[in-house]
Amino acid sequence: MAAWALGNHLRAPVQTVLSLVYPPRCLGCGGLVESDFGLCAGCWAETPFVGGTVCDSCGAPVPGETDGGRIECDDCLRRPRPWSDGRAALIYDGRARHLVMALKHGDRADIARPAADWMVRAAGPALLAGDPLVVPIPLHWRRMMKRRYNQAALLAQAVAKAAALDWCPDLLQRPRHTLSLDHRSATERFATLEDAIRPHPRRGARAQGRIVLIVDDVMTSGATFAAATQAVRAAGAADVRVLALARVTKTP
């Protein structure tokens, strides 16, 4: 028997035993599911995936149907984005909010893999064409020490792997510590993040002439993505696109 066939022959019983000892659990509630990295029917129904017509700049759902032209939501019309195209996989509500918070603050790195699959589907050709370089939103070192990992980097790595793209975990850096953006207005967020993100002095050259896809867990006002876009453009990127796991939308 060939070595590879023998390996597969031996691996199957091991995987069976592991599935009995550690059965697949739902990412949302922890209940039993049929396969790893999945959601049960209840959690799937409670997870608001973005679908239908969306804003081409930020990925937020918009009413109506597309006529083939570019579509902009009210927020993007009021504040034009410095990047070219943006998408999000989920609406930041319900079970989606729970998943994002678990990834961000709950040491749930396992969520990054299925989240990346959702993000790649949401990105589609608009964001993935042209072999973009995938880059995460950076954390300041103080926040990194507190959290011990950067959730945006976990997502960026998983997105790059799922889409077979190059990625650079430290193309951007955040040399200035900023206060939390929670409960701040859009104007305050943009002011707080002005010049807070810069190209890494030894990595920034990787963006020269490239299409760059910036990845983060949540887009709220777009201030963080805007600061990162300006930094990537300063590094010489040919085009910048943004991709979030979840998009905060206004409550009707």
Side-chain angles (χ1 to χ4, degrees), residues 68-175:
R70 186 172 181 85
I71 296 175
E72 302 277 349
C73 68
D74 291 342
D75 285 346
C76 292
L77 287 172
R78 281 193 298 267
R79 191 188 295 270
R81 309 301 186 176
W83 59 82
S84 61
D85 293 280
R87 294 291 187 274
L90 309 172
I91 297 172
Y92 189 64
D93 194 15
R95 183 61 64 177
R97 186 178 186 279
H98 170 83
L99 291 171
V100 170
M101 295 302 290
L103 171 65
K104 193 169 186 175
H105 299 294
D107 292 334
R108 290 291 306 278
D110 57 306
I111 293 173
R113 175 176 163 180
D117 291 335
W118 304 334
M119 294 168 75
V120 168
R121 284 196 293 270
L127 268 64
L128 302 181
D131 193 30
L133 175 67
V134 183
V135 173
I137 292 289
L139 285 181
H140 185 266
W141 66 267
R142 292 184 187 175
R143 195 154 292 165
M144 176 69 86
M145 289 187 66
K146 182 178 180 180
R147 288 189 192 164
R148 293 173 287 109
Y149 63 94
N150 178 1
Q151 75 280 356
L154 294 179
L155 289 171
Q157 182 179 26
V159 164
K161 182 176 181 181
L165 298 170
D166 293 336
W167 82 298
C168 183
D170 54 354
L171 188 138
L172 298 175
Q173 61 180 6
R174 207 160 180 161

